[in-house]
Amino acid sequence: MDDPLTQAFPACLLPDNLTLIPGLREVYELHLAWLEAQTLSGAALVEQAAYFCSVDGRPTRHFLTCVGETLKLPDFSSAGLRSFFKTNSFRTGYATHGLFPYRGKFHPQMVRGILNVIGVGPGKTVLDPMMGSGTVPIEAALLGADAVGVDISPFCTFMTETKASGLTMSLERAEGALASAETTFDYFVRRHGVALPTAGQQLAQDDDLRRVMEEGADYVVSGRRFRDRETAETYALLLLAFLDTMGYTQRSQRKPPLEQFQGILERYLHCCRKFQQVRGAQGFDLGRIDARQGDARQLGLADESVDAILFSPPYSFAIDYAENDAFHLAALGADRADLDKSMIGLRGGSRLADKYDCYLEDMNGALRECHRVLKQGCHCVIVVGTNNNQLSKVLKLPADQVIGLHKILRDAAESLGFSFSAEIPRAIKGIANTMREEYIVFLKKE
Ligand SMILES: C[S@@+](CC[C@H](N)C(=O)[O-])C[C@H]1O[C@@H](n2cnc3c(N)ncnc32)[C@H](O)[C@@H]1O
C-alpha cells in the first residue's frame, strides 16, 4: 500500500480527474466539493461545479468566470482590501456579486455549491424568500435555473434587479456617464444628497443627464419611469453606484465622495464587462430572475411551485437592516415605519425578550410558507449563524448553554413537516462579527 503521508489529502477524497479550485482550505468547502463530485458528473460538472477548476483537464465555467482581475479596485485601495479580494477571487468577487457590500450576504461560491448539491440546474426554479442583495437569484441564473427572490426591503429588490441586469445590459451609456463622472455624481447628489434635500425640483432645467434618463413611461426603476430598458438599466446601475458611494462616505472620510464614486462605478463596469465577455466566449444561457418586494410570511406563490429553497434569515435581532440601509431606503422613497412593522427581527419594541418572541413567530410563519410552496421531495436549505451572546441575554442563560439558532429553526421546521437531512458547520471570520459559527441546514419535504 502507498505511504498515506505521500498522498495529497483532498486527492484521497476525490476522483483524480477532478482538480480543486485554488485556495480551498476550509472543511465545509471540501465537504461541499465532495458532495458536488457525488451529485454531478461529466458536462454538468464542467458547467456547474463551484469547487473544481478542471475536470479531465477541461477548465470549468466557474473557474473561467473567476480568473483574471476580478475586482478592479481604485488605486487608493488599501493593501488589506486588495489581498482580501485576491484571496477570495473564487468565493465572492465574480460576475455581479461584488456590486454592493450588503451586510450579512452569502458567499456566492458556497451558494453555487449548495444549489448543485440540491439538484438546481436548467429547468428548475429556486426561491430565496429573504434574498437580501440577491446572491441566490444571481447564482441560480448563472447555473441556468430560474429564480424567484423576495425581500421586504425595496432596496433589496432594487439591488437584485440591478445586479441581474448587469449580467446582460448594454454598458455604453454607463461608460459615457463615467467619462463625465462629475456631472453624473452632481446629478445624484442634487436628487438624493442628504445636504441638499430639496434640490430635486431644480434638476430639470440644467442637467443633460435628465434628457437621457427621464423621458418615457414603460420601465420603472425605484418609482421612476423610463422610456426604454437600456435607459432604465443604465440609470439603475448609476444609482446603485451612487448609493454605494454614500454608504462609504458615511463610514469613512478618507477620500472625497466624487473620487469614491468614480472608483466604484469603474469597478461596477469592470465586473459587468468581464462577466459579459466570459459569457460571450463560452455562450451559455442564463436563467430568469423574478425579484419581488414581498413578505416571506405571505409569499403570494402557488402551492408546490418551486423546486428548491435556499435562504439566510436575519439572525434574530443581530442586524437592524432598516437602520443599516436608512439612507438607501430613503433615497428609494421607502416607508421606514412600514418596514419596522414587517421586518423579521425588528418587531417587538425595545424589550429583547418581546423581540425574540416575535422573531420566533415570524420565522414560524416564513418556514410554513416555505413548506407550502416547495414541491414534494425537494430541499429547503437554511444558512444561519449562532447568535449565542444576544440570545443568552434573552434566555438568561450563559452563552455556552444557549441552544443555537440553527437548532431552534431546525426544530421549528421539523414540527411543520420538514425532515432533517444534514448540517454542515462553517466558521465565521473577522473581528467585527459577533457570530463565530454558522450552519448550513439541509431540510427536505418528504
Ligand atoms: C441575512 S439577510 C439575507 C442576505 C442574503 N442571503 C444575501 O446574500 O444578500 C436577511 C434578509 O431578510 C430580509 N427580511 C427581513 N424580514 C423579511 C420579511 N418579512 N420578508 C422577506 N424578507 C425579510 C431582510 O431585508 C434581509 O435582506
Side-chain angles (χ1 to χ4, degrees), residues 321-331 336:
Y321 283 100
E323 184 58 35
N324 214 41
D325 301 335
F327 176 82
H328 310 80
L329 286 164
R336 251 313 274 286

Side-chain angles (χ1 to χ4, degrees), residues 39-341:
T39 319
L40 304 171
S41 58
L45 257 174
V46 175
E47 286 161 15
Q48 297 192 199
Y51 291 106
F52 298 102
C53 65
S54 73
V55 179
D56 291 319
R58 265 183 81 189
T60 60
R61 186 180 287 167
H62 181 61
F63 178 74
L64 294 174
T65 307
C66 296
V67 284
E69 191 186 5
T70 307
L71 286 184
K72 191 176 170 63
L73 294 170
D75 295 340
F76 52 78
S77 305
S78 66
L81 197 67
R82 284 177 190 287
S83 127
F84 174 83
F85 282 115
K86 193 156 188 282
T87 326
N88 287 290
S89 59
F90 295 99
R91 292 198 179 106
T92 58
Y94 58 92
T96 52
H97 288 300
L99 253 47
F100 191 95
Y102 193 58
R103 270 190 82 186
K105 78 186 200 186
F106 276 141
H107 271 229
Q109 187 188 34
M110 177 187 81
V111 166
R112 190 179 185 91
I114 296 172
L115 292 178
N116 282 329
V117 170
I118 59 174
V120 172
K124 301 281 167 113
T125 300
V126 60
L127 163 72
D128 184 336
M130 304 180 194
M131 70 184 158
S133 58
T135 316
V136 170
I138 297 289
E139 204 52 53
L142 299 187
L143 288 171
D146 294 337
V148 181
V150 177
D151 202 287
I152 200 81
S153 157
F155 178 53
C156 292
T157 319
F158 167 68
M159 226 181 333
T160 303
E161 280 172 343
T162 308
K163 286 172 155 192
S165 56
L167 299 172
T168 54
M169 69 186 270
S170 157
L171 300 172
E172 211 174 301
R173 279 149 114 182
E175 271 154 6
L178 175 63
S180 51
E182 201 168 340
T183 322
T184 312
F185 186 66
D186 188 48
Y187 171 90
F188 284 107
V189 166
R190 286 192 287 142
R191 183 159 281 283
H192 296 295
V194 262
L196 296 161
T198 56
Q201 292 98 31
Q202 301 157 18
L203 287 172
Q205 290 78 22
D206 60 352
D207 210 319
D208 274 357
L209 283 170
R210 180 187 174 276
R211 190 176 43 79
V212 183
M213 293 182 176
E214 292 186 13
E215 287 170 15
D218 289 336
Y219 291 86
V220 182
V221 176
S222 70
R224 303 184 46 205
R225 296 188 170 276
F226 296 89
R227 134 190 78 168
D228 56 55
R229 179 189 289 268
E230 188 182 338
T231 309
E233 291 179 339
T234 305
Y235 179 83
L237 192 76
L238 299 178
L239 176 57
L240 188 65
F242 172 75
L243 296 177
D244 199 345
T245 307
M246 296 319 278
Y248 270 110
T249 308
Q250 282 169 352
R251 292 191 296 272
S252 147
Q253 249 99 78
R254 252 180 3 121
K255 284 286 152 197
L258 173 60
E259 222 172 297
Q260 285 281 12
F261 177 71
Q262 274 169 314
I264 287 171
L265 184 55
E266 206 179 337
R267 174 159 64 75
Y268 280 20
L269 286 166
H270 172 82
C271 291
C272 299
R273 201 180 308 115
K274 182 181 165 192
F275 174 77
Q276 292 183 16
Q277 279 163 0
V278 171
R279 179 166 170 249
Q282 295 186 59
F284 56 90
D285 290 333
L286 296 172
R288 280 184 312 242
I289 295 180
D290 171 0
R292 310 172 173 195
Q293 190 187 346
D295 195 328
R297 299 164 302 172
Q298 225 168 357
L299 283 168
L301 298 173
D303 292 357
E304 313 221 333
S305 56
V306 301
D307 301 285
I309 300 178
L310 168 56
F311 72 105
S312 157
Y315 296 175
S316 72
F317 24 79
I319 301 178
D320 182 338
Y321 283 100
E323 184 58 35
N324 214 41
D325 301 335
F327 176 82
H328 310 80
L329 286 164
L332 299 180
D335 184 337
R336 251 313 274 286
D338 251 15
L339 277 180
D340 284 343
K341 278 186 240 139

Side-chain angles (χ1 to χ4, degrees), residues 382-440:
I382 310 175
V383 181
V384 66
T386 47
N387 186 11
N388 290 17
N389 288 340
Q390 274 185 319
L391 287 187
S392 75
K393 289 185 198 135
V394 179
L395 303 173
K396 302 200 182 344
L397 286 170
D400 58 356
Q401 285 175 31
V402 171
I403 308 170
L405 211 46
H406 62 291
K407 179 77 175 74
I408 295 169
L409 295 183
R410 174 183 151 182
D411 289 348
E414 284 183 304
S415 70
L416 289 166
F418 280 110
S419 66
F420 170 75
S421 304
E423 193 168 86
I424 301 180
R426 169 176 180 269
I428 301 180
K429 296 188 183 137
I431 327 162
N433 290 313
T434 54
M435 280 156 277
R436 306 266 53 110
E437 200 160 45
E438 70 181 5
Y439 289 82
I440 308 169

